[in-house]
Amino acid sequence: MAHVTFIHGIANKPEAEVLLRLWRQALARGDGLDLGAEGVTSTMVYWADVMYEKPKPEIAAHESNDSVIEVSDQDVDMAWQTELSGDEQHWADELEARLGYDADAPDGDDNYTPPEKDLESIEFERIPLPWWLKRRLMKVLLRDVHHYLFNAKHSPREGETYRVQDEIRKRFVDAVKQGDTKEGPHIVVSHSMGTVIAYDCLKRVADCPKVDGLMTIGSPLGLDEVQDKLKPEWSRDDGFPAKVESDWINVYDRLDPVAGFDPKFSNDYRMNGQARIEDINEQNSGTWRHNISKYLGGEKLRSALIRQLGF
């Protein structure tokens, strides 16, 4: 029996069981891929509780419409940056510049636009989102990427403190081990920051089992700053994880603000110098192109996943 291990991305989420159901429903909507009807089991690697105090209510979390993810003031509190120093501070400053937001600009000012020189350098400025909202989303991405790659200590609620990378790695590896008990094929389907976690574990964690296939969706793995923190295991000529035994399919929308900096991976994650990744441009509609339900409803993504599952 085939099995899919899902892993979610940035921002707060509803409870794990609800989130898994929403993803499966989005994949099946219309004439889509109904995993249950095909006998495919699935699990969700859930890590939102490592970063957020409590789950988002389901009624506010359904991602089938065109709403943008909610970003609270707490989510974009950048006080953690003041505690950095040395190489870590330099890394955060470099990624902040790459993401293209002015840390001193007002978050809630819908009339704010960045300086003209910044607009020229930020290719994803064509995305039809208010600039202030893009800034808030990029702050969430910066925090999540930093806390994971630097194994930061984080306390999402009173009485609970995590080393972020240690905790999330354990959850991912445990889920992959569970999927490894199935007959297969076993496919990891990852979204957003979840793609960084999946790649890190499959490439850099010794006891992570092999999987048959990997799908990355709306991924920031093209960012130089992310790749730098995946060294020495990562290199451009030897970046493909040997634990992915068959296909790595990377799905992107060029107007997705998380993936849009460098959405194609075939030249960045080669195996012995040879391209192994299939990059698929799945153009979503509307304002918020990072929406996982839109991606899962895409014909190209569904066809690619069906191939990976061997149907």
Side-chain angles (χ1 to χ4, degrees), residues 12-26:
N12 198 11
K13 307 295 177 189
E15 294 179 348
E17 297 78 8
V18 173
L19 188 63
L20 176 60
R21 172 167 51 82
L22 292 176
W23 281 41
R24 290 175 63 105
Q25 288 174 347

Side-chain angles (χ1 to χ4, degrees), residues 93-114:
D93 291 344
E94 288 289 312
L95 184 52
E96 180 179 303
R98 176 84 62 181
L99 297 179
Y101 69 82
D102 178 0
D104 297 323
D107 274 329
D109 185 358
D110 203 3
N111 296 316
Y112 172 79
T113 56

Side-chain angles (χ1 to χ4, degrees), residues 84-156:
L84 306 183
S85 61
D87 291 342
E88 193 170 350
Q89 179 66 64
H90 177 73
W91 180 91
D93 291 344
E94 288 289 312
L95 184 52
E96 180 179 303
R98 176 84 62 181
L99 297 179
Y101 69 82
D102 178 0
D104 297 323
D107 274 329
D109 185 358
D110 203 3
N111 296 316
Y112 172 79
T113 56
E116 185 175 352
K117 65 179 180 64
D118 291 340
L119 287 175
E120 292 173 354
S121 64
I122 300 168
E123 193 168 351
F124 70 80
E125 186 55 29
R126 296 170 296 144
I127 302 166
L129 284 176
W131 179 253
W132 66 268
L133 180 54
K134 294 175 200 175
R135 291 181 58 255
R136 291 172 74 86
L137 295 170
M138 293 303 101
K139 285 183 176 183
V140 173
L141 177 61
L142 175 61
R143 185 190 70 163
D144 286 358
V145 171
H146 169 271
H147 284 17
Y148 183 81
L149 292 178
F150 283 89
N151 200 21
K153 185 183 292 187
H154 182 68
S155 180

Side-chain angles (χ1 to χ4, degrees), residues 178-191:
Q178 178 183 347
D180 195 41
T181 65
K182 308 293 184 179
E183 182 179 343
H186 179 196
I187 310 300
V188 170
V189 175
S190 55
H191 177 235

Side-chain angles (χ1 to χ4, degrees), residues 182-224:
K182 308 293 184 179
E183 182 179 343
H186 179 196
I187 310 300
V188 170
V189 175
S190 55
H191 177 235
S192 186
M193 181 60 200
T195 68
V196 177
I197 297 164
Y199 177 84
D200 170 63
C201 292
L202 289 166
K203 183 67 174 177
R204 306 172 74 212
V205 177
D207 66 339
C208 184
K210 294 181 179 181
V211 298
D212 295 289
L214 170 65
M215 178 175 284
T216 51
I217 306 168
S219 174
L221 279 167
L223 289 166
D224 291 344

